[in-house]
Each structure stands twice: as C-alpha cells, then as structure tokens.
Amino acid sequence: MIGTTVSHYRIVESLGSGGMGVVYKAEDTELGRFVALKFLPDDVAANSQALERFRREARAASALNHPNICTIYEIGKHEDKSFIAMEFLDGTTLKHRIAGRCVESEALLGLAIEIADALDAAHGKGIVHRDIKPANIYVTTQGHAKVLDFGLAKFVVTGSFPEQAETASAELQLTGPGTLLGTVAYMSPEQAQGRELDARTDLFSFGAVLYEMATGTPPFRGESEAVVFKAILDGTPTSAVRLNPDVPAELERIVDKALEKDRKLRYQSAADMRTDLQRLKRDTEPQRISAVVGPGSAVRKPVRLWWAGAALLLVGAIAAGLYAHRSKPKPTALTEKDTIVLADFANSTGDPVFDGTLRQGMAVQLEQSPFLSLIPDRRIQEVLGLMGKPADARLTPEIALDICERTASAAVLEGSIASLGSQYVLGLRALDCRTQRVLAEQQVEAAKKEDVLKVLSEIASRVRSQLGESMKTVQTHNTPLMEASTPSLEALKTYSTARKVNESISPAVAVPLYRRAIELDPGFAVAYSDLAHAYGQMGESELARVNATKAFELRARASEREKFYIALTYYVRVTGNNDQVRQLSQVWAETYPRDASPHMALGFDGYVLMGDYEPALAELRQCIDLDPGTAFCHSTLAGAQLALGQVQEAEKTLQLQASRKLIPDLYTGMYDTEFVKGDQAAMERAAVAGHASQGADDMMSVHEAFAAAYHGREQTALGLSKRGADMALRESQRDRAGLYRAGPAVWQGWFGEKAAAKLGATATRDLSKSRESEYGAGVAFALAGDAVDAQAMAHDLETRFPEDFAARTTYLPDIRALLALDRGEPGKAIELLQASEPYELAQTRAFVHGCFGMMYAPYIRGLAYLAEHQGAQAAVEFQKIIDHPGVVVSDPVGALAHLQLGRAYAMQGDGVKAKAAYEDFFTLWKDADAGVPILVEAKAEYAKLR
C-alpha cells in the first residue's frame, strides 16, 4: 500500500505487522502531520469476530484521552478495509527497550508510574486492556510511556470488583468464559484458566512487565505454552534481587504484590500501584537521600583513633571482597544461539595503523569459530542508520552496547591496545549486554609491533574458551591470523577500510583499496575473493573471474571458513559447476551450522538454478532464520514459492521482507507476484515504489518492459528496457546493460522481427562477455537467422565455461536447437534439447537479472514438433509453459505459448480448442502494437479457422 492514498492519508512506509493488524506510517494531507494507520490483515478481516474486536479497539482507545495512551483520531474504511488512524509515535517498544537488559532504576520508575496512570485512566472508564506486555507499551524518544493496542480490551462494570464481573452483552458473544486471549507469558492466573476477568488481570500483567524491566527476563518462562501456564498457576518467580542486586527491596515488594495469584490479595487498583511507585521514586531520588543523611550526620572521631577506623575499614573491605568473590555468581557462558557485537578497539598508542585493523583481525579469528556468531557488518550498518548515525560510525563501547540491545545479542566484545615503552598491551573483554557483567577478559603483551597480530590470535583463542566454546573446536578451527589473512598490518588496515567502504559507500570506491591491500601483500587470498565479489557487483564479470581464480589458487593462506567462501566464489563465478557448489555448501553448513551463507548458496545455486524448488524452500528459510537481514534469501524464497504456485506464501515472504526494510529485489518481487495474480493496480503501486527506491530503478524498468512485451506492447517495452540499460551504463554496469539489451533482442526474435533481433544481439555482444549476455545474444542471433554469430556465441560459451551447469543444460542446447530449426532439422533440435529436459523449470541467472530465458527448451521443442507436423506432442510442450505461470512469469513466451498451442490444435484438426487458444492469445495481446509480425500472422490464421 506504500504510495497510495487512504481517505486523506498518504501512506509512506510500513511500520510492522502482527496477528491483529498491519500498521503503516502515513501523512495526514489535511492537517500536515504524520499518523499511524492500522489495517486488519486480509485473512483476519474476513473473520467477523476479529473485525468487531478491531472496531472495539478504536472505540475503547478513543474513549481515553490520556497522555500515556496512544491517541485515536478516527476509524474509517478504504476499499472495504477498515482502518484506525492513530497518533504516530517516534521511539521504540518497551520490548526492544528491554531486549534482555535491566532498565535503569530511574527510567524504570518513571515509565512504571506513567503506565500505572494510563491503566488507572482506562479502568476508570470501565476498560480492561487484557494484553499488557512490553510489546504493547511504547517508549517515546522523550522517554515517556504510551500504552498501545486495545484490540483485546473489554468493558466491565465500574466500581468494586465482584468475583464474577459482569460484561457487556457484545463481549459475552465474542469471548465467553473459557476463551483465552492475550499473550501467554504475561497472563494472569485467572486469564490462563479462562475465567471472567476484571481490571486486576491488567495489574498482574503489569507486575510481570515490571519484573522484566527490573531483571531483563520475564517472570514466567518455559519451552512450551503448557510449561508457562503451569508456572503462572503454580510457580514462584526467581527473586528479582537475585537476578539484579540493584533492585530496591521496595520495588521487589511492589512486584510481588502485583504477581499475587489470588487476585483478592493483589493490588486492587492501578492507583494503589501508582502511589507505591511514586513513593519509591521519591525516596530514591538523590536529593532525598542527601536530605536524609545530611552534611552534619557524620560523627567526628578523636584524631588518636584514626588508625582504628582505618583498620576497621580495611578489614571490612577485605571481608566484603571475600564475600563478594564467593557469593558473586559465575558469569554465564554463551550458548550456541547467542550473537555477539564486536566493537572497535580503543587505540591509545597514537599509531593509526591499528585503527580498524585490530577489529578486522579479531573478526577473522572469531569467525573461525563454529560456536560464536558475530553480528555481520551489514546488519550493524542498518542499525546505525536506525540510530541516526553514519554507516561508518566508530563502534565505541557505548554504541556497541546500544547495537547489542537493538539486535537482541548476548554480549559485546571490547578491545584495546596501548603502548608500554617499545611493547604493546592488548586487552579484550566480553560484557553481558543485559547486566554488563564481564563474561571473559584477557590481557596480553606484545614485545614489538610485528608481534601484535600474533598476540591478537592468542587472545582470541583464550576468550573463545572463556565464552563457552569447547577446547576441541578452538584447537580445530584456529588458524593464526598471519596465516589466515596477512602478516602485514598495513595490508590488513587497507583491507579493513575496503570492506567498510564496500558496505557503506559502493564497490567501485572499495576496489582501489582492495587492490592496494593486494599490492602490500600479493598472497592475501581473501582480499582477492572480496575484490572478485566487488567486481561482480559492478558488472565486471571478467575481472571478477580473474580475481576469484587467483583467490582460489592462494586459498591455503586463509582460515577454514574463508576457504569455504573463496571456493564457493570460484565455483559460482568461474566454473559454474553447481554440483561442486552443492557439495561444498553442504560441508560448509555442517562445519559452521550458524552460517547463513551456505544455506543461501544451496537454496539458490544448488536448487533454484536446477529447478528443484521444494528443497530450496527449506534452505532459504534456514538462511533467513540464521540471518534475518539477508534480502536475497527473502526474495529468492518468494521466487521459489511463486514457481511452485504458492502465491499467498510468496506474498507473506515479501511482506516479511518489507517489514524488515530489506529493499533489494523487494519491489521487483512484489511486481512479479502481482503480475502472476493479474492485479494491474498492485503492479503499478509496486512499480512506483521500486522507482522511488534507491538502487532498484533500472531493474524495475526492465520488469515493466517484460510485462509490456508479454502483452505485445513492443514500443512501450523497448522504451522501458532502453531506460534500464541507459541507467546501468551510467553506473558503468556493462554486464547489466548487456542483459537489459539481450532481453528485447530475444523477444523481437520470437516476434519475428529478425533485423531488430540481430541489432540487439550485436549490441549485447559488444557490451558484455558474461555467460548470460552471450546466451541472450546467441538466442537472438539464431532467431535472426545469423548462424555464424550464433555459433560463435555457442563456441565461446563452451570453450570458456566447460563445467558451467546452465551452459551445458540450457544455454548451449537452446542456441543449437534454434540453429537446427533454422537449418530445417527439427528432429536434430529435439535431440539437442534432451539435455534440458530434467531442468526445464530451472531458473537461470539470465532470468534472475535480465528477465529472459525461462522455459525456452519446451517452447523450442514445441516449435520443432510443429515443424515435424506432430501437433499432439507440440501441444504438450506449450501446455507445460501455460501450466507454470509462476516459473515463466513475464517472459513473452508465456503469452506466445497460447498462440502456439492454438497452432498445435489446428494441426490436429481440433478447431474448437484451436480457436479457444487463439482467443486466449488475443485477449493477452488486446492492447498489442498492431504491426508485430507474429500478431499479423496469428490474425490471418484465426480468420481461416473461422
């Protein structure tokens, strides 16, 4: 809905979604302010009870005018969809504010008083929220609480609370006794038992929220809902003071009273809770403590007894130290599910060579661990953006802790280096993000500058063990840094800068830095591999292949994990051997079970590019689970679901991608999905968003071009395609420009425009020598009847890429079968296409990046059967294409298959089916350009049928 106008609200962006609603940020065009618009999801909107709850939320919240309750402006309708317009809040939910960490006492009490005040106001109006939890409490940037989401609210009789509170008749119809509503971990005992509820249920839930604010963890936990229910009904939470020694005793008493299981012994009103919280806040304020103690409270002792006081203090300090040492709980080691944020090293040496270098070196060392998992730099830069900081901001301990909280990570690793004469002292410690307790700490000296990288390796190994990794894996996966990357501090520093620039600015800016790192150390294997990746992003396929090959030759100079990365880059960019990609990725996933990369490679290269979509789903979901920030896995999963005909699932995947603000390939994926559904209005909305999105403009133009070509609007399609190619060329993306020129050349060949197809093929060949561009040029030359140039493309593909899966099973068979057809040898064409038969549904990189090349083998085979006057066999081939709209998407052969099916039926003498197929084609091409040769032929053939 982004970009659309609802009533007088223009939707700007998605803010998130949940079971009871999808929320967008929108601009109120009449009052010039931002609002939040909440819609019910389509599947929920069909439920009359859910719709009534939605309306009740608006009525309930709009009845409350309170500074700590989200203000409701209006409830309206748009295209049969109800929406609520409410106050737009800037900040974060209390859930994200806590994120496993204790809220500091002053902020906790301030927020708690405001929440209690909001509940008191709601209860005073006879409204019980029934779903109080951290996710439904917002903390604004000014530090104030706002209670949200009255979707489960109900009205009760105000006044005293009888044991069985009466409810409105509408409420009884919606949720009678025995119905469970709310979030399990924060339910009151009576809510868990499905009993009638009154305002005291909110006070229990509020007590659970207070406990979590104070300790960083909910009071009732378990591996299943049944376990949590039992804990709520029978269990006693761990004392808050045991989890956080700084919790005031009075706060613990307030929480314990709120969590009383018998509601008659619980707080009876939010006002009472607010009073106790306000009293505690007053008594803990610094000025209050100073007033109580007073400057004159200290009793003066005779001077002669100073030594006795000192001795007592010393003994007391020793005793306290011993007690603290014995009673302080041992820091909890990390688990295999935890993630870590790596901060920049504090450099007090004055030598800039260590800036950024030591963090990169430490990352190389820690990433060898199958146990530890670092938050990737890409994700860190996304979070920095949300924090309003530049992508290349220095990761100070404070910023790293903030990132740790926002990513729900477990620990921050802080490093330091200082000079001590000619020596250097390196320190590393791991802090628990929630409690800031030290989980691991090491300090090592390096005798001279040249030993710093060696010492860095040693300190990393020790900390890995302290954090809970087994000695076996530490010893097995522990290549010293100078062997895993480079012995040159200068080369490592330059490489570190290149990686940061590549992510935060562009690959083109990073390339000179990668090359400089290689000049400083010509044996720097992973720098070659990253350079290959950067060239690939720039569309320089040949330079990418050269550097990927060099990295592969030098892979002995890399850690085991980097060897996987280097080899995979080589197999993908150089050989194209999908069997090797699949085998390597499986071993990588087994060795490093927390890495998303092998699952991405398995899902796409190992399965999608081979047309094996079912196993691809599992791998791509695993990739998303391990790294929710990978846009490519989201969009590829949606594409695989679309290919399997799972349109609704594809939409949900794209909605998840949108909610995570993962823009690459998002809008083109939405566009393709709506194309398959046939929703032109939704396609246009996706196109508008795609053109407005940074980095997606050219791709969106090409997708629009193919949609137009699918419907025969050739001139429109050519203009859009040229726009995309021109934009790619302006960015020096010659490979992409080549693909964007290849597509129109191919479809013009299918349309019967041989001269135009040849011109387009020549332009493609002059622009790019990538596999996919040469494939497109070869097909276009063959369709144009230019056998010499088509054979040259095929020969170059076979010579340069003898192992390439797509070349062997798709590119070469397609080109050579078309050449055989042009020579009048349809039987030979069918024979040549046998290699393609098991992989007819496979996606190709040509399709992924250039929109062409899907299901050409059955289309060409169908043409060959028509040439042999075997109408029945031809019909089978064209029907395959028609039956797989999610595979072929907008490639024009999807529309042309209807025409060819009509020709096949006519050949069999079935006039009824032939006319129906022709009419289907004419419907698809109802707005087609009049002079397209294949359309002219089709109309003439149809006239004879009639």
Side-chain angles (χ1 to χ4, degrees):
M1 299 186 70
I2 295 170
T4 61
T5 298
V6 175
S7 181
H8 54 93
Y9 304 107
R10 184 178 62 83
I11 294 180
V12 177
E13 63 176 296
S14 171
L15 295 176
S17 62
M20 288 298 291
V22 182
V23 185
Y24 296 94
K25 179 180 179 181
E27 181 185 6
D28 185 335
T29 56
E30 291 186 358
L31 298 179
R33 64 182 175 182
F34 285 116
V35 302
L37 292 187
K38 181 174 181 178
F39 291 81
L40 274 177
D42 291 339
D43 55 337
V44 179
N47 184 311
S48 59
Q49 291 187 354
L51 188 60
E52 180 53 35
R53 283 195 199 106
F54 187 74
R55 292 174 180 144
R56 184 175 57 204
E57 174 183 3
R59 291 195 297 270
S62 62
L64 302 170
N65 183 14
H66 191 276
N68 300 119
I69 295 175
C70 182
T71 303
I72 298 295
Y73 297 138
E74 69 167 308
I75 183 169
K77 266 198 168 185
H78 173 72
E79 297 178 355
D80 297 325
K81 290 185 178 181
S82 296
F83 68 86
I84 300 172
M86 63 185 80
E87 178 183 6
F88 172 72
L89 301 173
D90 192 10
T92 186
T93 64
L94 182 58
K95 176 182 176 180
H96 288 101
R97 177 76 164 76
I98 298 171
R101 294 178 59 190
C102 311
V103 177
E104 57 275 15
S105 181
E106 184 178 354
L108 182 153
L109 291 172
L111 292 171
I113 290 166
E114 291 180 343
I115 297 166
D117 206 37
L119 290 177
D120 185 41
H123 296 165
K125 293 281 189 178
I127 297 170
V128 180
H129 190 286
R130 296 199 297 181
D131 198 17
I132 293 296
K133 59 184 178 181
N136 281 341
I137 298 167
Y138 213 79
V139 181
T140 68
T141 51
Q142 290 78 32
H144 295 295
K146 290 273 188 176
V147 178
L148 315 172
D149 201 348
F150 281 76
L152 301 183
K154 79 168 191 175
F155 295 92
V156 300
V157 176
T158 56
S160 61
F161 297 124
E163 193 57 31
Q164 297 293 327
E166 298 178 24
T167 56
S169 59
E171 166 62 24
L172 285 172
Q173 294 170 6
L174 287 170
T175 54
T179 302
L180 286 177
L181 291 174
T183 304
V184 172
Y186 305 93
M187 282 184 177
S188 65
E190 59 268 27
Q191 197 171 6
Q193 292 171 326
R195 294 162 57 192
E196 289 287 356
L197 305 179
D198 57 39
R200 290 172 291 184
T201 190
D202 282 350
L203 304 185
F204 185 95
S205 300
F206 180 31
V209 171
L210 273 178
Y211 182 99
E212 188 169 353
M213 292 170 73
T215 66
T217 185
F220 306 107
R221 304 179 298 281
E223 296 179 354
S224 66
E225 287 189 356
V227 175
V228 177
F229 276 134
K230 182 171 176 55
I232 291 171
L233 296 173
D234 304 321
T236 301
T238 303
S239 168
V241 173
R242 284 186 59 190
L243 297 178
N244 179 7
D246 295 330
V247 171
E250 175 61 10
L251 178 60
E252 185 167 45
R253 185 197 67 78
I254 293 170
V255 171
D256 288 346
K257 185 174 180 180
L259 292 178
E260 279 283 357
K261 299 189 188 302
D262 185 343
R263 57 182 164 186
K264 289 181 289 186
L265 302 178
R266 203 178 297 159
Y267 278 104
Q268 298 299 291
S269 73
D272 289 344
M273 280 191 76
R274 180 186 59 207
T275 298
D276 284 355
L277 289 164
Q278 287 172 327
R279 185 180 296 112
L280 174 59
K281 187 174 189 297
R282 180 201 65 188
D283 292 344
T284 55
E285 288 174 348
Q287 59 269 30
R288 172 74 175 178
I289 295 170
S290 298
V292 172
V293 176
S297 299
V299 180
R300 292 182 177 273
K301 305 293 182 184
V303 175
R304 67 177 182 272
L305 294 180
W306 70 268
W307 58 269
L312 286 172
L313 287 173
L314 179 61
V315 171
I318 293 172
L322 287 171
Y323 175 79
H325 177 74
R326 290 173 181 171
S327 63
K328 183 179 178 179
K330 183 180 179 181
T332 305
L334 301 182
T335 72
E336 60 184 12
K337 295 181 179 180
D338 291 324
T339 52
I340 299 172
V341 176
L342 180 58
D344 277 307
F345 272 62
N347 175 18
S348 61
T349 66
D351 190 339
V353 75
F354 297 119
D355 292 334
T357 311
L358 299 185
R359 182 182 184 276
Q360 180 60 48
M362 182 58 66
V364 171
Q365 289 302 103
L366 296 178
E367 285 172 348
Q368 296 186 55
S369 168
F371 174 77
L372 300 179
S373 179
L374 298 183
I375 293 293
D377 287 346
R378 167 187 44 76
R379 175 66 178 138
I380 286 174
Q381 289 171 355
E382 290 170 2
V383 176
L384 285 170
L386 296 175
M387 293 165 61
K389 298 185 182 297
D392 59 351
R394 179 174 173 77
L395 296 182
T396 63
E398 294 75 21
I399 291 176
L401 273 172
D402 200 347
I403 293 171
C404 191
E405 178 180 345
R406 290 169 182 260
T407 57
S409 295
V412 165
L413 275 176
E414 302 174 354
S416 63
I417 184 169
S419 54
L420 189 63
S422 61
Q423 296 182 326
Y424 294 87
V425 180
L426 279 80
L428 186 68
R429 69 173 182 170
L431 294 180
D432 184 302
C433 291
R434 181 174 61 86
T435 65
Q436 296 189 31
R437 289 181 178 173
V438 177
L439 301 175
E441 191 165 20
Q442 289 291 325
Q443 184 170 298
V444 182
E445 292 182 8
K448 54 185 183 298
K449 187 174 182 179
E450 291 74 16
D451 293 339
V452 166
L453 294 183
K454 178 183 176 183
V455 167
L456 196 68
S457 298
E458 295 173 6
I459 203 171
S461 301
R462 296 179 188 179
V463 166
R464 284 170 61 182
S465 297
Q466 281 185 286
L467 289 175
E469 184 173 354
S470 70
M471 286 303 299
K472 181 179 179 181
T473 60
V474 172
Q475 292 167 357
T476 304
H477 305 281
N478 195 22
T479 306
L481 182 57
M482 291 187 291
E483 298 174 24
S485 58
T486 174
S488 167
L489 275 167
E490 194 64 42
L492 188 59
K493 176 177 175 59
T494 308
Y495 171 72
S496 171
T497 306
R499 283 176 59 93
K500 182 173 285 191
V501 165
N502 196 99
E503 291 288 343
S504 62
I505 302 177
S506 75
V509 179
V511 161
L513 292 166
Y514 282 128
R515 292 175 63 179
R516 175 58 182 158
I518 290 167
E519 289 172 7
L520 291 166
D521 180 3
F524 200 164
V526 75
Y528 282 105
S529 199
D530 279 359
L531 179 58
H533 186 63
Y535 276 132
Q537 290 176 295
M538 293 168 59
E540 297 283 358
S541 57
E542 281 306 295
L543 287 171
R545 291 181 71 238
V546 168
N547 285 281
T549 302
K550 186 65 176 176
F552 190 71
E553 293 169 353
L554 294 169
R555 66 189 183 281
R557 272 272 309 274
S559 68
E560 185 173 3
R561 186 177 182 276
E562 287 174 335
K563 286 174 185 173
F564 283 120
Y565 165 65
I566 290 168
L568 185 67
T569 302
Y570 175 75
Y571 294 144
V572 169
R573 295 195 178 278
V574 180
T575 70
N577 189 319
N578 279 26
D579 290 332
Q580 289 178 319
V581 169
R582 186 183 296 196
Q583 292 167 13
L584 179 76
S585 298
Q586 288 169 343
V587 176
W588 186 351
E590 290 168 5
T591 308
Y592 289 93
R594 303 191 64 183
D595 274 11
S597 297
H599 297 285
M600 183 193 307
L602 264 175
F604 180 61
D605 296 271
Y607 293 122
V608 168
L609 293 186
M610 299 176 82
D612 207 356
Y613 294 106
E614 285 290 354
L617 301 184
E619 295 298 333
L620 293 166
R621 288 190 180 110
Q622 181 75 349
C623 172
I624 293 170
D625 288 344
L626 290 167
D627 185 359
T630 50
F632 184 77
C633 285
H634 287 79
S635 58
T636 306
L637 174 60
Q641 290 167 328
L642 195 63
L644 289 168
Q646 301 173 4
V647 179
Q648 289 185 335
E649 287 79 359
E651 288 182 300
K652 290 177 182 177
T653 299
L654 291 167
Q655 287 168 3
L656 177 63
Q657 183 178 348
S659 71
R660 290 172 173 169
K661 295 181 172 58
L662 305 174
I663 302 305
D665 299 326
L666 170 63
Y667 298 114
T668 51
M670 289 179 170
Y671 188 87
D672 287 349
T673 303
E674 300 302 339
F675 179 89
V676 172
K677 289 170 60 183
D679 190 334
Q680 185 63 39
M683 287 169 62
E684 290 173 1
R685 289 195 293 270
V688 169
H691 286 305
S693 173
Q694 185 176 3
D697 199 6
D698 59 333
M699 280 292 289
M700 184 53 74
S701 292
V702 172
H703 280 251
E704 288 182 290
F706 270 82
Y710 184 95
H711 293 291
R713 299 193 299 273
E714 186 181 15
Q715 294 307 309
T716 298
L718 289 172
L720 287 164
S721 183
K722 183 178 184 302
R723 181 177 184 270
D726 289 346
M727 281 191 287
L729 281 175
R730 282 197 295 271
E731 297 174 9
S732 300
Q733 296 274 357
R734 295 180 64 84
D735 282 349
R736 277 166 60 187
L739 280 172
Y740 296 166
R741 293 299 300 272
V746 171
W747 83 55
Q748 286 178 309
W750 295 130
F751 292 173
E753 297 176 337
K754 293 189 174 184
K758 182 171 181 177
L759 283 173
T762 303
T764 300
R765 180 186 60 190
D766 293 344
L767 275 171
S768 169
K769 288 179 68 65
S770 74
R771 281 165 281 196
E772 288 67 41
S773 293
E774 290 200 339
Y775 166 52
V779 168
F781 278 131
L783 290 170
D786 185 344
V788 173
D789 283 321
Q791 286 170 347
M793 292 292 96
H795 176 74
D796 196 49
L797 280 169
E798 187 173 42
T799 303
R800 293 169 61 221
F801 307 104
E803 299 179 54
D804 187 87
F805 171 79
R808 289 186 291 106
T809 62
T810 303
Y811 300 170
L812 291 170
D814 285 357
I815 295 170
R816 287 171 173 162
L818 284 169
L819 287 171
L821 269 179
D822 192 55
R823 293 194 304 268
E825 300 175 354
K828 181 65 173 177
I830 294 169
E831 178 186 336
L832 287 165
L833 290 170
Q834 287 177 357
S836 303
E837 200 159 0
Y839 310 106
E840 288 174 346
L841 301 182
Q843 282 192 12
T844 65
R845 293 183 194 278
F847 174 76
V848 172
H849 300 296
C851 299
F852 68 90
M854 287 307 297
M855 299 194 75
Y856 283 6
Y859 190 81
I860 299 167
R861 191 182 296 112
L863 294 178
Y865 279 127
L866 285 178
E868 288 199 324
H869 302 285
Q870 298 183 41
Q873 291 89 333
V876 169
E877 299 302 320
F878 297 123
Q879 190 64 50
K880 285 180 188 176
I881 299 170
I882 295 168
D883 290 343
H884 290 91
V887 175
V888 75
V889 193
S890 59
D891 192 301
V893 298
L896 296 177
H898 291 276
L899 168 61
Q900 304 298 355
L901 182 62
R903 290 172 171 173
Y905 282 135
M907 187 174 287
Q908 298 174 66
D910 192 335
V912 174
K913 287 185 177 179
K915 284 194 285 187
Y918 271 92
E919 287 164 3
D920 287 341
F921 170 67
F922 292 141
T923 299
L924 291 172
W925 275 43
K926 66 182 187 318
D927 298 320
D929 296 350
V932 179
I934 199 168
L935 179 60
V936 174
E937 294 172 6
K939 287 181 176 178
E941 293 163 2
Y942 182 71
K944 292 179 181 178
L945 283 174
R946 298 179 65 186

